[in-house]
Amino acid sequence: ETGVTQSPTHLIKTRGQQVTLRCSSQSGHNTVSWYQQALGQGPQFIFQYYREEENGRGNFPPRFSGLQFPNYSSELNVNALELDDSALYLCASSITWGKNTEAFFGQGTRLTVV
Amino acid sequence: GESVGLHLPTLSVQEGDNSIINCAYSNSASDYFIWYKQESGKGPQFIIDIRSNMDKRQGQRVTVLLNKTVKHLSLQIAATQPGDSAVYFCAETGRRALTFGSGTRLQVQP
């Protein structure tokens, strides 16, 4: 196991609702990145948090937002859910930013929007 | 790499044979390339990486080849086992983000 845990593992939401996904990073890691993986595709970068600040963002709208806490755990929030937001959401932690070769992924949260 | 939608390319091999999985990348400025294995219901798992100044790197039963001229990566798995069945992704590393290619599903036939 990687030491990166995500919760919940699965959830179902209705279009228009809001959702919060959680990630606990590996001990000693101060950087958390979030990815969206649609069915049959590779993960796509949403954003990264380093020491509680957003440290880079992919091509996702502002209704995707995040937080990182002093213990370096992180949340991904998605507002006004759309059907296309249905995907596996992955978080990855690394010892610091710029060390992507040493990033460890959690098992993901499967979000279904109906 | 381009998205292939719901239909991942599939490579089917016999147990014990060697497998070769290919990947094209787009950013010639990437420093590192990584191969990941993703089993059903799990997150991507690091297999091996290669720096852009190398053309070959070997691990345990795996070899990665990098051809910068044609922007092509390959992952070779020796003596493929049933436990190797998974989706394999190549990824380019940036300072912050990993950029994943479209995956390949490897099916190992007993």
Side-chain angles (χ1 to χ4, degrees):
Chain A
E1 300 302 322
T2 64
V4 180
T5 57
Q6 293 185 242
S7 62
T9 54
H10 298 81
L11 76 166
I12 300 173
K13 289 286 188 177
T14 303
R15 188 172 49 183
Q17 285 187 316
Q18 179 266 343
V19 69
T20 297
L21 310 181
R22 295 177 175 82
C23 172
S24 293
S25 58
Q26 188 172 62
S27 177
H29 286 192
N30 62 24
T31 301
V32 172
S33 302
W34 286 91
Y35 291 82
Q36 180 195 65
Q37 186 176 21
L39 192 62
Q41 298 184 21
Q44 289 199 320
F45 177 70
I46 304 174
F47 45 56
Q48 181 182 87
Y49 277 82
Y50 166 67
R51 293 190 173 183
E52 302 179 60
E53 297 288 333
E54 187 177 292
N55 186 45
R57 189 178 183 91
N59 188 26
F60 280 81
R63 60 189 184 84
F64 285 78
S65 63
L67 282 173
Q68 188 178 32
F69 300 99
N71 66 354
Y72 302 132
S73 66
S74 179
E75 286 183 354
L76 164 66
N77 299 290
V78 187
N79 293 323
L81 283 166
E82 301 177 0
L83 297 179
D84 284 350
D85 295 333
S86 295
L88 181 68
Y89 288 85
L90 296 160
C91 78
S93 79
S94 51
I95 196 164
T96 191
W97 79 279
K99 295 291 187 183
N100 285 320
T101 56
E102 298 161 21
F104 295 94
F105 283 85
Q107 83 285 1
T109 294
R110 172 72 62 188
L111 172 65
T112 302
V113 183
V114 297
Chain B
E2 290 184 357
S3 167
V4 293
L6 294 176
H7 304 289
L8 286 169
T10 299
L11 174 66
S12 185
V13 300
Q14 292 293 122
E15 182 178 354
D17 286 352
N18 296 333
S19 303
I20 299 176
I21 300 171
N22 297 303
C23 175
Y25 65 91
S26 56
N27 185 0
S28 57
S30 295
D31 287 333
Y32 279 92
F33 301 88
I34 306 173
W35 280 99
Y36 286 93
K37 172 185 181 183
Q38 188 173 25
E39 296 174 283
S40 181
K42 296 185 178 180
Q45 176 188 0
F46 174 94
I47 303 173
I48 190 168
D49 63 1
I50 186 167
R51 195 162 188 173
S52 59
N53 62 356
M54 302 170 67
D55 52 22
K56 180 179 180 179
R57 191 170 185 210
Q58 289 184 291
Q60 187 175 18
R61 279 202 309 120
V62 295
T63 300
V64 56
L65 300 179
L66 174 62
N67 185 330
K68 293 180 287 294
T69 302
V70 296
K71 296 182 184 175
H72 182 268
L73 276 169
S74 68
L75 177 70
Q76 301 177 3
I77 304 174
T80 312
Q81 302 168 1
D84 295 326
S85 293
V87 177
Y88 290 81
F89 292 97
C90 67
E92 308 168 42
T93 64
R95 293 300 301 279
R96 293 172 177 81
L98 294 163
T99 301
F100 286 81
S102 53
T104 297
R105 185 180 305 281
L106 176 64
Q107 293 180 339
V108 182
Q109 307 297 329

